[in-house]
């Protein structure tokens, strides 16, 4: 295995699903946002990760390049990131050409759930400053992510795996995700 990218909109549970699916494997789990925030904090650009999506496009792109360069040097890694990032200017690709070609993933995993489930998860998560999107906006974001994932696949040659993480069905989601590690 080389690099697997896991994506999904905020509140879908992508981190939980993939960390559980990777348990016991010789795999490093890297959160792209954490690497980016470390680089941004070192450069005194932001104070916390939820401010990242409010940066200018130029700032975000510069951070993406630096992050991809760092991660591309790793082996046997799951990269936890977002397929697209909702910004005040519109949706920004989370894995534009200059990132996806550096990462060269084997598989792109897209974790999804019903919009109502994600909406309720966001409401109950007091640990983060989540966007207050409507169910319709959440549905739209997931549709945009599907399109973006296939575009990333066309550029990189990676397969795309969709994993459904429904409420109270974590074990099912983990079973769906396991084959990407084979």
């Amino acid at each position: 295995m080389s690099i697997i990218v896991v994506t999904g909109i905020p509140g879908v549970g992508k981190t939980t699903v993939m960390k559980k699916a990777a348990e016991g494997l010789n795999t490093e789990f890297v959160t792209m946002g954490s690497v980016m925030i470390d680089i941004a904090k070192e450069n005194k650009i932001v104070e916390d990760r939820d401010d990242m999506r409010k940066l200018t496009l130029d700032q975000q792109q510069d951070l993406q390049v630096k992050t991809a360069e760092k991660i591309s040097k790793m082996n046997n890694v799951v990269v936890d990131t977002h397929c697209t990032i909702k910004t005040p200017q519109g949706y920004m690709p989370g894995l534009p050409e200059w990132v996806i070609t550096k990462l060269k993933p084997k598989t792109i995993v897209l974790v999804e759930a019903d919009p109502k489930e994600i909406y309720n998860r966001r409401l109950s998560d007091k640990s983060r400053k989540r966007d207050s999107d409507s169910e319709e906006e959440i549905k739209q974001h997931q549709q945009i992510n599907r399109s973006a994932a296939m575009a990333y696949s066309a550029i990189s040659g990676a397969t795309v795996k969709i994993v459904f993480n429904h409420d109270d069905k974590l074990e099912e989601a983990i079973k769906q995700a396991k084959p990407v590690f084979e």
Side-chain angles (χ1 to χ4, degrees):
M1 183 188 80
S2 52
I3 294 177
I4 295 170
V5 172
V6 60
T7 68
I9 69 171
V12 77
K14 69 187 175 311
T15 306
T16 302
V17 170
M18 291 305 285
K19 278 190 173 181
K20 293 268 187 200
E23 280 180 358
L25 302 174
N26 183 24
T27 303
E28 185 175 356
F29 199 89
V30 177
T31 303
M32 193 154 179
S34 294
V35 176
M36 286 178 75
I37 190 70
D38 289 345
I39 293 168
K41 282 181 176 179
E42 287 170 14
N43 292 297
K44 299 183 186 334
I45 298 171
V46 298
E47 292 182 23
D48 66 54
R49 78 180 291 133
D50 290 308
D51 290 334
M52 295 285 284
R53 66 183 172 274
K54 296 172 185 154
L55 295 174
T56 67
L57 292 178
D58 286 342
Q59 289 172 312
Q60 290 189 31
Q61 289 171 353
D62 183 57
L63 286 170
Q64 285 176 322
V65 169
K66 290 176 181 171
T67 302
E69 288 171 349
K70 186 172 184 176
I71 293 171
S72 69
K73 296 173 184 162
M74 302 174 186
N75 290 315
N76 295 331
V77 64
V78 174
V79 181
D80 181 342
T81 191
H82 293 285
C83 204
T84 60
I85 300 108
K86 188 175 180 184
T87 72
Q89 298 86 20
Y91 291 98
M92 183 179 122
L95 298 164
E97 181 272 335
W98 56 86
V99 172
I100 199 76
T101 55
K102 284 194 184 304
L103 292 178
K104 297 179 186 147
K106 174 182 102 169
T107 303
I108 299 166
V109 178
L110 185 55
V111 180
E112 295 185 351
D114 292 332
K116 185 171 191 67
E117 292 172 320
I118 296 168
Y119 179 82
N120 289 333
R121 290 175 195 170
R122 288 180 180 180
L123 283 179
S124 65
D125 184 358
K126 303 299 181 200
S127 68
R128 301 280 303 274
K129 292 185 265 183
R130 301 279 191 192
D131 289 337
S132 58
D133 293 337
S134 68
E135 289 178 41
E136 188 58 36
E137 289 170 313
I138 290 168
K139 179 180 177 182
Q140 179 187 57
H141 196 168
Q142 287 192 131
Q143 289 171 336
I144 288 169
N145 278 354
R146 281 189 176 201
S147 297
M150 288 310 300
Y152 301 151
S153 172
I155 293 168
S156 67
T159 58
V160 174
K161 171 82 171 165
I162 298 175
V163 172
F164 297 98
N165 183 30
H166 296 297
D167 288 344
D168 303 316
K169 306 255 186 207
L170 179 59
E171 290 305 315
E172 279 184 34
I174 293 166
K175 285 179 189 172
Q176 292 173 47
K178 285 270 189 193
V180 303
F181 294 101
E182 297 171 359

